[in-house]
Amino acid sequence: MGRTDILMMNTETEGPLLRHFRFFYKLFIAFFLTGVIPVALLSSSFALFSGGIVTGSYKQQGLIAIKGMSEDLNTLLERYRHTVYSLSSDDEIIAAILKDADPERSELLALYQKIYRALSGHIDHASLHVISRTGFPSFSTQQIPKSYLNMDDEAAGGLFALARKHPEKSWAVSNHFINERGNIVMMSLCRAVRDFDGTIIAYVVLDINKPYIAQISEEKNQDVFSQILIVNTSQNLVSDLRHSENDGNFSRLPFLSDIPDKLSGSFTKEDLLIIYTPLAVEPFVLVGALPLNIVLSNLSYLIRATLWLLLLCIILAVLLALLVSRSISRPVHSLTLAMGQVEEGDLSVRVSENREDEIGLLLKRFNIMTGQIETLVKETREEQEKLRVAERKALQAQINPHFLYNTLNTIKSIAKLEGIDQITTIVTQMGKLLRHTIDNEKEIVTLAESLVLVESYLSIQKIRFGTRLSYSIRIPEEYSDQPIPKLMLQPLVENAVIHGLEQKMGPGIITLRGWNQEKDLILEVQDNGKGIPPGQEQIGSSNSHGVGLSNVHRRLQLLYGAPYGLTIESQADKGTTIRIRVPLKEEE
């Protein structure tokens, strides 16, 4: 007798014990307790720990809100800091200030245009001042505060004193005042302008308006925090973005003295839930405060709902115990055998459904369930494959657009300084780059096609750097048809130019090599630039240019598996070598 015959026989017969009164009650009590005890324990535990659950939920919302606010604020502050740095090192501004004389109207107009362009799109949110220490007049996007013109140690919250003491750094301080347009200024950035001998000849100051910072924060807050604070842990000053009466020192908000300046975290104090994280400019910290009475106000409602749920579960447990107890018999054994087959991976197993009672319904549901599981397993495998392709395409789409902006700036500079020939070359190479990048039809390209893209990029950078940049490509032609992921080599070369050679003094050399190693193709991008700081050579380390390398590494591993990807070797002031390992195409 086969297993199928046994299953059919078990579904057609009932044991006599099912008709016995006492056995029915034994089954009823067993199912009732099995259903009620876990629900009672869970409900009691929830009632006991609901305070922690609710607090944890609000804390999670606060962490999400504080992260979103800090990301947006850090993006803005990094832009402003870069603006201050760029103007402080601008050759045109330095040359004008060194004249120490009244400038011509056209020259002064050009300087004004430069600072207005630097603050484009943010004229109403910030003001930019270049304050001269020579005979050359100071200039600004607004009226310069009188205290700035004195440039003494107490002016602007001690900003000029810090810039004089460490002119090589950009500084940020709390600086509360109302400017000529009626906007409240809450923070200022400053950097010294030095001549070629290192003498301070001016200061670049950028004042940030409080309403704009508050607007950015509220967009991500979504009423999670009742107070949003920008805290200067060095000066013990605070700006309350929702309640201006709290601006100033920590006297109104003493709990702020417990906040560190370089760490993220949370704590509770004075019936407040405090969540904080440092901002991109030191020593400022973003703080969100939420009163605990709001967090705990829903506890009584949750407890009542839990008790009602417990009562409902008891009623359901009684009903289910009665139904199940009336129908337990030998067909359960046949169902157990079938489930054993399912556990072994045989999802095609089915049991006979020739009963019209509850057991027959159970067997029918089992058959439906196994059929659905079999279908879901197939669909899950298909979805996983689709997800893998989608993730790879998503990672491919994250290539850093900074090169496009740098190229456009190069075109602009050359247009002003050198003429039409080089512009034609740049635009031609740029067209090749864009065509290759925008073409989304091909995910895999040949090595030869990737090298065309790299040469176009290097041709543009060659115009930008002139004789400072040279390169060579030493990859045998036999690998020209080797398939590789699209946009794999260009980000590595771009990384070498921007982070390796851009700040290097003297000539820079980039070399591309390729060779066969253990049936894999090794592609190497080498530069003699500044190198990667110690501790940041690993893929995915927290540095400003790790995203592009991480994307390439992740794409390679998604395509070919864990043994493939990038390796980095670097020495400070000697250069960086990045190697790519991909499987070599098999010869047909």
Side-chain angles (χ1 to χ4, degrees):
M1 182 181 293
R3 170 172 278 188
T4 303
D5 296 332
I6 293 176
L7 294 176
M8 293 181 64
M9 182 182 69
N10 286 336
T11 59
E12 293 172 355
T13 61
E14 287 189 20
L17 291 179
L18 286 176
R19 304 183 186 94
H20 199 282
F21 181 78
R22 294 181 61 187
F23 183 66
F24 167 80
Y25 276 103
K26 287 180 180 180
L27 290 175
F28 171 77
I29 293 171
F31 282 111
F32 175 76
L33 293 179
T34 301
V36 168
I37 290 177
V39 174
L41 290 176
L42 289 174
S43 300
S44 301
S45 300
F46 181 78
L48 290 173
F49 300 107
S50 57
I53 294 173
V54 173
T55 303
S57 175
Y58 274 92
K59 182 178 179 180
Q60 184 63 29
Q61 293 180 38
L63 290 172
I64 294 173
I66 209 80
K67 180 181 179 182
M69 287 187 286
S70 64
E71 288 176 351
D72 288 353
L73 290 177
N74 285 338
T75 299
L76 177 70
L77 293 174
E78 286 290 357
R79 172 185 172 168
Y80 285 164
R81 182 160 59 181
H82 179 72
T83 298
V84 171
Y85 170 78
S86 299
L87 292 177
S88 68
S89 57
D90 187 274
D91 292 340
E92 184 178 348
I93 292 177
I94 294 173
I97 295 174
L98 286 175
K99 289 181 179 180
D100 194 16
D102 292 334
E104 295 182 1
R105 178 179 177 84
S106 59
E107 182 181 7
L108 192 58
L109 179 60
L111 296 176
Y112 271 100
Q113 290 176 342
K114 181 180 290 291
I115 64 173
Y116 270 93
R117 282 196 303 269
L119 211 58
S120 175
H122 291 257
I123 294 298
D124 295 329
H125 309 316
S127 53
L128 192 58
H129 319 289
V130 179
I131 304 170
S132 173
R133 297 186 67 189
T134 68
F136 194 86
S138 301
F139 49 98
S140 169
T141 59
Q142 293 189 24
Q143 182 176 344
I144 301 175
K146 294 181 180 179
S147 61
Y148 286 12
L149 298 175
N150 296 330
M151 292 178 284
D152 54 35
D153 289 347
E154 301 299 325
L159 194 62
F160 296 107
L162 291 172
R164 280 194 291 270
K165 187 175 181 180
H166 298 285
E168 74 284 357
K169 295 177 60 177
S170 297
W171 292 92
V173 298
S174 297
N175 190 17
H176 290 269
F177 67 93
I178 299 177
N179 62 22
E180 65 165 352
R181 295 185 179 179
N183 292 319
I184 300 175
V185 174
M186 62 168 288
M187 183 189 304
S188 296
L189 304 178
C190 179
R191 188 180 180 94
V193 180
R194 295 180 290 174
D195 63 12
F196 303 107
D197 296 327
T199 302
I200 297 177
I201 59 174
Y203 299 96
V204 177
V205 180
L206 192 149
D207 294 330
I208 305 173
N209 296 341
K210 180 179 179 180
Y212 187 49
I213 299 296
Q215 175 188 338
I216 293 176
S217 301
E218 288 294 347
E219 289 175 356
K220 291 298 175 66
N221 181 39
Q222 297 182 345
D223 292 328
V224 174
F225 294 112
S226 61
Q227 288 180 288
I228 305 173
L229 312 167
I230 304 294
V231 178
N232 185 326
T233 56
S234 175
Q235 297 175 295
N236 289 337
L237 296 175
V238 60
S239 292
D240 191 328
L241 302 182
R242 284 191 152 195
H243 309 284
S244 296
E245 64 271 14
N246 292 328
D247 291 354
N249 55 36
F250 291 175
S251 60
R252 290 178 177 267
L253 306 169
F255 63 85
L256 295 177
S257 59
D258 295 334
I259 295 177
D261 57 351
K262 294 183 180 180
L263 298 174
S264 298
S266 64
F267 61 88
T268 57
K269 190 171 184 180
E270 300 179 3
D271 295 327
L272 291 172
L273 173 61
I274 311 299
I275 302 177
Y276 57 89
T277 187
L279 292 176
V281 293
E282 296 180 358
F284 288 94
V285 178
L286 176 64
V287 180
L290 176 64
L292 291 177
N293 59 350
I294 297 177
V295 176
L296 302 178
S297 61
N298 293 324
L299 276 183
S300 60
Y301 168 78
L302 290 175
I303 293 175
R304 288 195 302 271
T306 301
L307 293 176
W308 280 107
L309 178 63
L310 176 59
L311 179 60
L312 177 62
C313 289
I314 291 174
I315 295 173
L316 290 176
V318 171
L319 295 175
L320 290 174
L322 286 170
L323 292 174
V324 176
S325 299
R326 293 177 186 275
S327 307
I328 301 300
S329 67
R330 288 185 181 178
V332 174
H333 180 64
S334 66
L335 184 60
T336 302
L337 294 177
M339 292 178 66
Q341 289 181 270
V342 172
E343 289 180 354
E344 293 174 359
D346 183 10
L347 296 176
S348 63
V349 63
R350 300 291 184 271
V351 294
S352 176
E353 301 176 8
N354 59 349
R355 291 177 61 105
E356 298 298 328
D357 58 8
E358 293 82 1
I359 289 295
L361 180 61
L362 181 63
L363 298 176
K364 181 179 179 180
R365 293 292 175 85
F366 172 79
N367 289 337
I368 294 174
M369 180 187 68
T370 53
Q372 290 176 340
I373 292 175
E374 187 176 14
T375 302
L376 287 173
V377 169
K378 294 179 181 178
E379 292 176 352
T380 301
R381 290 171 180 168
E382 295 174 357
E383 289 298 324
Q384 287 177 343
E385 178 62 22
K386 292 178 181 178
L387 180 62
R388 185 183 68 82
V389 174
E391 184 181 4
R392 190 166 68 241
K393 290 184 177 180
L395 288 172
Q396 177 178 321
Q398 293 177 0
I399 298 301
N400 194 324
H402 290 169
F403 165 65
L404 179 59
Y405 300 139
N406 290 337
T407 302
L408 294 177
N409 286 332
T410 302
I411 294 174
K412 179 179 177 181
S413 299
I414 294 177
K416 291 182 178 180
L417 300 177
E418 295 188 331
I420 195 65
D421 293 334
Q422 290 179 312
I423 293 178
T424 302
T425 301
I426 290 178
V427 170
T428 301
Q429 301 299 334
M430 191 64 187
K432 295 179 181 179
L433 286 171
L434 288 176
R435 282 194 300 272
H436 191 90
T437 303
I438 294 174
D439 181 13
N440 292 323
E441 295 297 324
K442 294 196 299 182
E443 187 174 305
I444 302 297
V445 299
T446 64
L447 179 57
E449 291 174 318
S450 284
L451 290 177
V452 170
L453 178 66
V454 168
E455 289 193 271
S456 296
Y457 172 82
L458 289 173
S459 297
I460 295 173
Q461 296 293 5
K462 179 70 175 175
I463 295 175
R464 178 186 176 193
F465 288 94
T467 57
R468 285 182 55 203
L469 173 64
S470 59
Y471 64 91
S472 63
I473 300 177
R474 305 174 184 176
I475 299 177
E477 291 186 0
E478 63 185 279
Y479 303 128
S480 297
D481 294 331
Q482 167 69 27
I484 61 173
K486 182 181 178 182
L487 294 176
M488 183 184 72
L489 281 177
Q490 189 272 337
L492 274 58
V493 176
E494 179 180 354
N495 186 79
V497 172
I498 295 176
H499 300 291
L501 305 180
E502 195 168 57
Q503 299 180 359
K504 173 183 172 62
M505 301 299 293
I509 302 173
I510 295 178
T511 304
L512 279 74
R513 300 183 180 90
W515 65 88
N516 182 347
Q517 180 176 307
E518 299 178 355
K519 297 183 179 180
D520 290 333
L521 176 61
I522 307 299
L523 298 174
E524 181 182 88
V525 179
Q526 184 180 56
D527 66 75
N528 65 338
K530 297 289 289 184
I532 299 175
Q536 298 184 3
E537 301 93 345
Q538 298 298 321
I539 300 296
S541 63
S542 57
N543 59 79
S544 60
H545 55 277
V547 175
L549 299 183
S550 296
N551 284 346
V552 174
H553 181 68
R554 177 66 174 154
R555 288 172 58 202
L556 290 172
Q557 291 199 329
L558 284 173
L559 279 171
Y560 305 122
Y564 299 95
L566 304 184
T567 57
I568 301 177
E569 296 178 2
S570 183
Q571 289 183 303
D573 297 321
K574 291 187 178 181
T576 301
T577 300
I578 302 178
R579 295 187 181 91
I580 306 172
R581 177 183 290 271
V582 296
L584 195 62
K585 182 180 71 172
E586 297 181 2
E587 296 182 1
E588 299 180 354

